[in-house]
Amino acid sequence: MLQASIKGLLAKEYVGAEAPPMVFTGVRPPAYRQDHLAEIADARAMQREAPSESGFLTEHACVLLPHQTAVRDWDADVANVYRPEVASITRERLLPGRRVEIFQGTKVVTRGGGKRIYGEGVHCDGPLTPDSYATNLGALTTPQAELNWRRNFARDEVAGFMLINFWRPINMREPVRDYPLALCDPLSVDPDDVFSARIPRLTSEGRVSRHLALRFNPGQSWRYYPAMTTNEVLVFKQSEFWKESPDAGPRANVFHTAFRDPTAPPEAEPRRSCEHRVGVMILRD
């Protein structure tokens, strides 16, 4: 357990139909400017007691997996190397025994090493409803992609859908100490503290995508996996929809943020990481 400052939560007093736009560089809107000191638990210790990887994912909406990837170039090898690895993990370790259809892009989002900034601000990329997810997909890609997803999800054989993030350190010599990732336990989130919000400059052509901001609540529970290595991948849910029981089971919108670990040495190797969001249609048995 450590104490660290969490940035990007809405102020406890915030009231509104939706949250102000979320920004991760420069000056934040006033509603996001107050940092909050949080106790962040060691998720490795929690996971050691789990009976299975898939069971821990079901209960906590996240799981850390040992996984030695064959990727050597995170620009060139994703389509032919990483995508098959992710598909195998999804079928065999995350959702064993389920009939699934897996949808992946051909690239990953990389951070550090002079590329994108770290996402130091609490957010959730996935929305709350299938309709919002489809709208986001169209805004972030193409209208045809939105139409195709709606048609796929509407099929009678489809029981539900998950949006899953595969997050891992890459091209690092040492375990991550610089800006690790903190996750908020979805079961500790009051639905009244969740607000729709835009992220500026994320889409093009005037399209708008809706993501999720979180209002501070002292009952929120935070955790992280200390000292992650390049031979591990952190999997966490961004959205989960079930047709016949939309309100059943734990909420699966995992709010997360990079944070400064106060115990990290000044000479800690700068974090380099990638994230890969994967859509999974879950078919009826």
Side-chain angles (χ1 to χ4, degrees):
M1 181 80 72
L2 60 79
Q3 284 192 332
S5 180
I6 296 291
K7 297 180 181 295
L9 286 163
L10 289 165
K12 185 178 180 180
E13 301 78 18
Y14 181 79
V15 176
E18 67 176 53
M22 292 185 288
V23 296
F24 300 99
T25 59
V27 179
R28 300 179 188 273
Y32 296 108
R33 289 182 190 169
Q34 183 179 356
D35 296 349
H36 294 85
L37 191 65
E39 291 192 343
I40 307 178
D42 182 346
R44 289 185 185 273
M46 296 173 57
Q47 192 173 322
R48 290 190 197 105
E49 307 299 323
S52 68
E53 295 170 339
S54 61
F56 195 82
L57 177 68
T58 298
E59 183 175 357
H60 297 284
C62 70
V63 65
L64 183 70
L65 305 176
H67 177 252
Q68 186 169 353
T69 181
V71 172
R72 295 296 173 263
D73 185 327
W74 286 96
D75 291 319
D77 293 347
V78 171
N80 295 326
V81 179
Y82 198 49
R83 279 167 42 115
E85 290 178 350
V86 166
S88 177
I89 290 172
T90 303
R91 295 180 190 279
E92 298 171 13
R93 300 173 68 177
L94 302 181
L95 298 166
R98 300 303 301 258
R99 296 174 58 227
V100 297
E101 295 174 350
I102 301 169
F103 301 86
Q104 304 184 59
T106 58
K107 296 184 180 296
V108 298
V109 175
T110 57
R111 301 188 187 276
K115 294 193 175 182
R116 292 175 179 83
I117 62 165
Y118 306 133
E120 192 182 12
V122 175
H123 65 286
C124 180
D125 302 277
L128 294 172
T129 67
D131 184 67
S132 295
Y133 176 79
T135 300
N136 282 0
L137 186 62
L140 294 165
T141 57
T142 66
Q144 186 61 49
E146 175 182 351
L147 179 61
N148 291 343
W149 188 89
R150 290 184 184 277
R151 286 173 174 170
N152 274 331
F153 188 69
R155 290 179 296 154
D156 289 341
E157 66 177 325
V158 172
F161 176 82
M162 293 180 186
L163 178 64
I164 305 173
N165 196 338
F166 286 72
W167 189 97
R168 68 188 305 148
I170 60 172
N171 302 331
M172 293 186 66
R173 300 180 305 276
E174 302 172 0
V176 173
R177 299 295 304 278
D178 177 57
Y179 283 101
L181 202 66
L183 310 175
C184 189
D185 180 354
L187 295 180
S188 73
V189 173
D190 186 329
D192 290 340
D193 292 325
V194 176
F195 294 82
S196 174
R198 295 186 299 108
I199 301 178
R201 297 183 295 278
L202 195 62
T203 60
S204 60
E205 300 178 14
R207 301 170 183 165
V208 175
S209 61
R210 299 287 179 180
H211 308 274
L212 298 178
L214 183 63
R215 181 171 57 193
F216 171 74
N217 187 317
Q220 290 157 0
S221 176
W222 291 89
R223 61 178 67 118
Y224 83 121
Y225 287 91
M228 278 187 63
T229 74
T230 56
N231 289 329
E232 297 176 309
V233 60
L234 172 58
V235 179
F236 58 97
K237 296 179 184 180
Q238 302 271 252
S239 292
E240 183 174 2
F241 316 122
W242 295 94
K243 289 181 178 178
E244 294 183 355
S245 53
D247 298 322
R251 297 177 62 84
N253 296 89
V254 177
F255 286 90
H256 55 284
T257 180
F259 73 99
R260 290 179 182 268
D261 182 347
T263 69
E267 67 277 10
E269 181 181 4
R271 191 193 94 197
R272 301 187 69 175
S273 61
C274 78
E275 54 210 63
H276 184 50
R277 298 179 185 91
V278 177
V280 183
M281 290 284 182
I282 303 170
L283 308 183
R284 302 184 193 279
D285 297 329

